[in-house]
Amino acid sequence: GSQVFGVQLEAIKWYLFAPHPKFDLVIDQFHGTPFFTPLFVRKKKLGFIHEVTKEIWKFNPWTGILHWLPSFLGPLLEPLIFKLIYFNIPFMTVSESTKEDLIGWGIPEKNITVIHNGIRVPKIKIPPKMSRKTLIYLGAISKDKGIEDALGVFSIVNKAGDWQFWVVGKSDPRYLSFLKKECIILAINNRVKFWGFVDKIEKYQLLAKAHVLVNPSIREGWGLVVIEAASMGTPTVAFDVPGLRDSIIDGRTGVLDKKHKVVSIAEEILDLLKNSKRYQRMRGEAINWSKNFSWEDSSKKSLDLINKIMTLSKP
């Protein structure tokens, strides 16, 4: 199905009319638009959501009226979907921030279970930091993830010394072309490297060699890349937004910028690297913090939740 409701419609058609096994539990996964399972599934259900969309609606990739419709209607209709359709469905989410959003939209607290994302760190020897100060961005390369702000941050940091910036992750080719032109405008093109998608081992090696992960995303469910970076002794400097304020312990495993400005993030990065004692302490705390999260633990908690749902008397 297409991205705009297509996959939801195909799911409804398949579930109601196509031959398939009988199911005991249906997981309704939210990514902006859910699958509306309470309207057509009579089996037990579990809502799985990383983050609510809220302000992300305005970062949709379409143009003209197709851009403005979801930008305007999304924030109005999204809370109604939870209040009218999902009020009686158990939810699994990944952070206290998302739990608070769900409660605000009418989901009873008793129906919400928080299970953090885990990580599986490869068995590698953590390499030393680069001799040249290195900033890294890791994740989907898209506007709502803050990549344009990240380039702005680096353009400021770069003026303070000999820096380089690694941008790691997938991108739409047209958007990548736009970002490379922005690098030329900002006069940082010779100090920015776009790695594209890298495998797991290389990802962790790059995280380990970099000095700071920058994450100016406007909203996250949790911020898995933050924990991955922490496991390599690399602190994160990020905006103080939902999700990132859950995965970062401010002042201990990273820094949360409460001003939400490119300039202030850049200043936080420079201040952190000027204080070697503070930086080394933060590196150690980041590694210790990352040890609290594993997929084995997350899987066990998820299975416990599913077993609990299956013992309930009603779907």
Side-chain angles (χ1 to χ4, degrees), residues 104-163:
W105 284 351
I107 305 300
E109 183 175 2
K110 64 181 178 63
N111 287 2
I112 306 168
T113 301
V114 175
I115 300 175
H116 299 307
N117 291 152
I119 58 171
R120 187 170 288 118
V121 182
K123 294 181 179 179
I124 60 172
K125 183 179 180 181
I126 300 180
K129 298 296 183 187
M130 298 292 289
S131 57
R132 189 183 191 186
K133 291 290 190 296
T134 303
L135 190 65
I136 188 170
Y137 169 99
L138 172 65
I141 300 176
S142 59
K143 196 174 184 69
D144 64 291
K145 295 294 184 180
I147 181 57
E148 292 178 39
D149 282 343
L151 291 176
V153 168
F154 180 71
S155 71
I156 297 171
V157 168
N158 185 49
K159 295 173 184 176
D162 185 24
W163 283 76

Side-chain angles (χ1 to χ4, degrees), residues 6 20 32 34 36 65 76 83 97 111 114 126 128 144 164 174 186 195 198 219 221 225-226 241 256 277 310 314:
H20 59 71
F36 301 98
I65 192 170
L76 295 176
K83 291 177 181 178
S97 288
N111 287 2
V114 175
I126 300 180
D144 64 291
Q164 62 182 340
R174 288 177 296 178
L186 294 169
W195 288 82
V198 299
R219 171 177 290 272
V225 297
V226 169
V241 297
L256 293 171
K277 186 176 180 180
M310 296 310 299
K314 295 182 179 179

Side-chain angles (χ1 to χ4, degrees), residues 54-116:
K54 285 192 174 181
E55 62 270 58
I56 299 176
W57 286 108
K58 66 182 179 182
F59 288 94
N60 71 77
W62 306 296
T63 57
I65 192 170
L66 290 179
H67 174 81
W68 292 110
L69 274 177
S71 297
F72 175 72
L73 293 177
L76 295 176
L77 297 179
E78 186 179 22
L80 292 178
I81 290 173
F82 286 91
K83 291 177 181 178
L84 299 178
I85 299 176
Y86 286 92
F87 63 91
N88 201 31
I89 302 298
F91 273 86
M92 182 171 84
T93 190
V94 295
S95 67
E96 291 295 330
S97 288
T98 304
K99 178 180 178 179
E100 290 171 8
D101 284 330
L102 293 176
I103 292 172
W105 284 351
I107 305 300
E109 183 175 2
K110 64 181 178 63
N111 287 2
I112 306 168
T113 301
V114 175
I115 300 175
H116 299 307

Side-chain angles (χ1 to χ4, degrees), residues 169-224:
K170 294 180 181 178
S171 174
D172 174 84
R174 288 177 296 178
Y175 190 54
L176 181 60
S177 177
F178 164 78
L179 293 174
K180 289 181 177 180
K181 291 176 182 177
E182 284 295 299
C183 288
I184 295 173
I185 294 171
L186 294 169
I188 56 174
N189 54 299
N190 62 339
R191 297 202 175 194
V192 178
K193 180 172 181 177
F194 290 91
W195 288 82
F197 176 81
V198 299
D199 64 30
K200 183 177 180 179
I201 298 296
E202 188 170 22
K203 175 180 73 172
Y204 276 93
Q205 288 176 336
L206 291 174
L207 286 171
K209 292 176 182 178
H211 291 80
V212 176
L213 174 74
V214 61
N215 194 331
S217 178
I218 63 168
R219 171 177 290 272
E220 291 290 334
W222 168 243
L224 182 59

